Amino acid sequence: MLLDHEECQLVLVDYQARLMPAIHDAEAVLRNAMRLAQMAQLFEVPAWATEQNPERLGENPSELKALCRQTLAKMHFGGCADGLAELLRPAPRQGGNARSLPKHLQKAPAAERGTIVLAGCEAHVCLLQTALELIELEFDLWVVTDACGSRTERNRDAAYDRLAAAGAELVTTEMVAFEWLRTAEHPMFKQVQALIK
């Protein structure tokens, strides 16, 4: 029931230049996304990002992109159709023999890090659709609510209701921080504490 940093990957959805000015409480949302990315780097948690139609909506902030392994440009609202699932769960090496199951009977391999910590904008569109796709692909999903936003609180809150009903865990940036730490004796404690103050 607690997050384990060794089992996690972080996905940050669409904190883009032309989108963020319209997001309710955008400054706090982006600040928490940066904290998540910085904590992921401290704990060696793989971090990924997406950008929705970046030619039209601009890019994510360069300091956020620098903390991610890759930023995936997408046109679908959900990230999986444009390759996010393959980043999170790389294809197994090819091999096999005559006894291998036909492709349509093979189950997708479990990700080495099957817990996804997800945050982004807009909560009721790109974040929601990406989250539902990841749940369908059998990832454990944790949505960081204070690092998510929509243009209106009503849309954002409706997304949280739907995500909770679909099986996502709703958490905050500080919950992620202290669950990844687990103890005040953790060697990263002071660095994490400095990030969340």
Side-chain angles (χ1 to χ4, degrees), residues 52-99:
Q52 175 68 28
N53 191 5
E55 287 185 17
R56 281 295 197 58
L57 294 175
E59 296 184 357
N60 291 342
S62 58
E63 60 271 21
L64 187 67
K65 289 180 85 161
L67 295 168
C68 296
R69 290 188 178 188
Q70 184 174 334
T71 298
L72 177 72
K74 63 185 179 67
M75 292 301 288
H76 291 85
F77 300 123
C80 292
D82 289 317
L84 180 62
E86 289 76 16
L87 292 177
L88 301 174
R89 183 186 286 144
R93 293 195 179 120
Q94 292 303 315
N97 57 42
R99 296 183 195 164

Side-chain angles (χ1 to χ4, degrees), residues 114-184:
T115 300
I116 307 302
V117 176
L118 183 71
C121 299
E122 285 195 65
H124 66 295
V125 184
C126 294
L127 177 93
L128 175 71
Q129 291 187 33
T130 299
L132 295 176
E133 290 170 348
L134 291 171
I135 290 169
E136 193 171 333
L137 292 171
E138 299 182 359
F139 285 97
D140 293 325
L141 197 73
W142 299 65
V143 176
V144 188
T145 57
D146 61 353
C148 296
S150 291
R151 285 164 290 145
T152 68
E153 292 176 88
R154 180 173 288 177
N155 278 326
R156 182 200 63 200
D157 294 346
Y160 295 157
D161 290 344
R162 192 161 169 205
L163 288 163
E169 293 286 343
L170 303 183
V171 294
T172 66
T173 301
E174 288 196 19
M175 292 165 81
V176 173
F178 287 105
E179 289 181 31
W180 281 356
L181 283 169
R182 297 286 176 96
T183 174

